[in-house]
Amino acid sequence: MFEWMAWTLPVAVFFTCIVLMLVGMAVWEVKSPTTLRKGFLPLETTRGDRLFIGLLTAAYVNLIFVGVSGKLAQWFELGEDPSIWISFVLSMLLLGLIMRKG
């Protein structure tokens, strides 16, 4: 069923983090309903809005990194493509920034 997907450890960790965030946000919403607030994003958002925007941003960061990693290896004369963990950490930091200040 999932033969098409390259299930590596970084991919599994990424999707596990997404599932845990969704479950955590659902519990948090039940315990403490959210209110609109304005951060650096150009619109008023709730926690769920910021999570959605952050997850989209994280996905795009990972996709861009996968697309550019071959070129990075050529430009910096690396023996192999850079580790996907770099984009994972970068995307999670960006997600955290959007959730906190967005």
Side-chain angles (χ1 to χ4, degrees):
M1 182 171 157
F2 292 110
E3 295 85 34
W4 60 272
M5 182 69 178
W7 285 103
T8 61
L9 182 61
V11 171
V13 169
F14 182 76
F15 282 109
T16 301
C17 286
I18 289 172
V19 168
L20 290 175
M21 280 187 273
L22 291 173
V23 169
M25 288 293 287
V27 170
W28 192 6
E29 186 65 29
V30 168
K31 296 279 185 186
S32 169
T34 188
T35 59
L36 290 174
R37 75 171 172 95
K38 180 122 172 65
F40 67 82
L41 295 171
L43 62 150
E44 288 185 343
T45 58
T46 64
R47 285 188 298 253
D49 297 335
R50 290 188 300 277
L51 178 65
F52 180 72
I53 292 167
L55 287 175
L56 283 177
T57 304
Y60 285 124
V61 165
N62 282 294
L63 287 173
I64 290 168
F65 186 84
V66 168
V68 174
S69 63
K71 290 291 184 188
L72 289 174
Q74 286 179 349
W75 293 338
F76 296 111
E77 299 174 359
L78 303 173
E80 58 187 36
D81 288 350
S83 173
I84 197 74
W85 287 107
I86 295 168
S87 69
F88 174 75
V89 170
L90 181 62
S91 65
M92 289 299 110
L93 289 173
L94 196 53
L95 174 65
L97 176 69
I98 290 171
M99 288 297 294
R100 183 77 177 148
K101 302 284 184 180

